[in-house]
């Protein structure tokens, strides 16, 4: 049941969603990755968002900068001014050397101009869950203005981050990310968060789970599917969306 401040907006997320932009063909969570996904025809993108030391939402999966930039240490310890000058492309390949980290504001400009849909995975620095969701929620309402509920989906493995987003942007749909299913607690949690979707690791999803989510008036999405046989099986079992790295192999218009 949706509360008055959480209207039942029509579901607008396309079936195929490009993971971290096109995060295998280009440096993940950068504008270059989004452009690559768009070049392959994708209209929906997933990305990871956390906060800089001065509370600017930007794209990064890990808590540290070590894997995907030229810097080391916790991202949350640096201002956006510092982060924006890093090289977030050279780790991927020489062709992308010099590609900067992406702010949520720059990604918002890209997806809005192209009428794309964005799945924002709230990826808070540990200990900063609620505040991350709350600040990102406010920024989404500012950046997307009146289109926010129809073109953005929040998701997170961290319930407190979703609670924060619900506090500041209750009209933006939410999805609970799960990498395991234990008892019925996960469903009760998703319902208590007012989620419109549950997004599981693809190996957890089957026809019975899809039916259970439909009964609960939630969408059934899966991550991260790169195998054609697995994708076909999931489609046959009725899933509502697939998040993939394989943007060059799965046609989003098929």
């Amino acid at each position: 049941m949706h509360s008055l401040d959480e209207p039942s907006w029509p579901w607008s997320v396309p079936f195929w969603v490009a993971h971290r932009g096109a995060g295998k063909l280009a440096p993940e969570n950068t504008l270059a990755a989004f452009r690559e996904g768009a070049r392959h025809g994708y209209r929906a993108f997933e990305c990871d968002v956390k906060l800089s030391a001065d509370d600017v939402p930007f794209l990064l999966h890990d808590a540290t900068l070590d894997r995907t930039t030229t810097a080391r240490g916790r991202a949350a310890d640096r201002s956006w001014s510092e982060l924006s000058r890093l090289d977030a492309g050279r780790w991927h390949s020489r062709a992308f050397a010099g590609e900067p980290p992406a702010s949520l504001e720059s990604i918002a400009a890209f997806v809005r101009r192209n009428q794309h849909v964005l799945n924002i995975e709230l990826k808070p620095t540990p200990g900063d869950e609620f505040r991350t969701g709350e600040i990102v929620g406010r920024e989404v309402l500012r950046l997307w203005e009146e289109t926010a509920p129809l073109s953005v989906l929040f998701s997170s493995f961290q319930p407190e981050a979703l609670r924060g987003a619900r506090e500041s942007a209750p009209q933006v749909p939410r999805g609970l990310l799960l990498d395991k299913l234990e008892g019925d607690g996960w469903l009760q949690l998703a319902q208590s968060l007012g989620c419109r979707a549950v997004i599981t690791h693809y190996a957890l999803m089957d026809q019975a789970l899809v039916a259970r989510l439909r009964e609960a008036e939630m969408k059934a999405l899966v991550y991260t599917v790169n195998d054609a046989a697995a994708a076909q099986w999931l489609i046959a079992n009725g899933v509502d969306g697939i998040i993939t790295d394989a943007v060059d192999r799965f046609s989003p218009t098929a």
Side-chain angles (χ1 to χ4, degrees):
M1 187 68 67
H2 299 283
S3 68
L4 291 175
D5 64 346
E6 296 174 35
S8 183
W9 295 101
W11 186 254
S12 64
V13 181
F15 185 87
W16 291 100
V17 181
H19 188 227
R20 303 181 193 174
K24 295 297 184 185
L25 302 180
E28 65 182 56
N29 284 318
T30 65
L31 196 50
F34 276 70
R35 289 189 176 117
E36 186 66 15
R39 191 174 72 81
H40 283 85
Y42 276 71
R43 297 184 300 110
F45 299 85
E46 183 268 357
C47 66
D48 304 289
V49 174
K50 54 170 38 71
L51 300 177
S52 66
D54 50 347
D55 292 340
V56 175
F58 75 102
L59 277 60
L60 185 73
H61 177 274
D62 302 354
T64 70
L65 298 161
D66 303 31
R67 181 175 65 87
T68 58
T69 78
T70 49
R72 296 290 179 268
R74 288 195 344 148
D77 295 336
R78 297 186 182 229
S79 68
W80 173 242
S81 177
E82 294 177 274
L83 292 166
S84 66
R85 295 195 295 269
L86 298 179
D87 185 331
R90 191 167 66 189
W91 69 274
H92 180 276
S93 59
R94 290 166 64 184
F96 292 103
E99 180 71 22
S103 66
L104 179 59
E105 186 162 15
S106 68
I107 293 298
F110 178 81
V111 298
R112 286 190 64 198
R113 285 171 188 153
N114 290 287
Q115 297 184 310
H116 293 153
V117 172
L118 187 63
N119 170 198
I120 297 174
E121 180 181 344
L122 299 166
K123 205 79 174 181
T125 300
D128 209 18
E129 289 81 7
F130 185 90
R131 205 173 65 89
T132 297
E134 191 175 31
I135 291 172
V136 175
R138 284 200 301 267
E139 276 296 282
V140 162
L141 293 186
R142 181 181 73 84
L143 294 169
W144 272 262
E145 299 172 349
E146 296 304 315
T147 64
L150 298 181
S151 59
V152 176
L153 169 69
F154 287 131
S155 64
S156 189
F157 288 100
Q158 305 297 327
E160 280 302 304
L162 291 174
R163 287 191 180 99
R166 185 182 193 179
E167 182 69 24
S168 60
Q171 64 270 58
V172 179
R174 294 170 296 281
L176 180 63
L177 279 161
L178 296 170
D179 57 9
K180 59 185 175 182
L181 299 173
E182 295 178 350
D184 290 329
W186 62 268
L187 182 56
Q188 293 166 359
L189 178 60
Q191 290 172 323
S192 75
L193 293 166
C195 287
R196 294 288 311 280
V198 167
I199 309 166
T200 74
H201 185 278
Y202 74 90
L204 300 175
M205 190 64 70
D206 58 20
Q207 194 171 42
L209 183 54
V210 171
R212 194 170 183 196
L213 290 170
R214 293 267 169 78
E215 186 178 359
E217 299 183 338
M218 294 184 202
K219 298 292 185 179
L221 281 72
V222 290
Y223 69 90
T224 304
V225 183
N226 299 322
D227 175 74
Q232 289 168 2
W233 188 88
L234 289 158
I235 291 167
N237 280 272
V239 298
D240 297 299
I242 289 177
I243 299 171
T244 183
D245 293 313
V247 301
D248 53 341
R249 285 183 279 132
F250 294 144
S251 170
T253 58

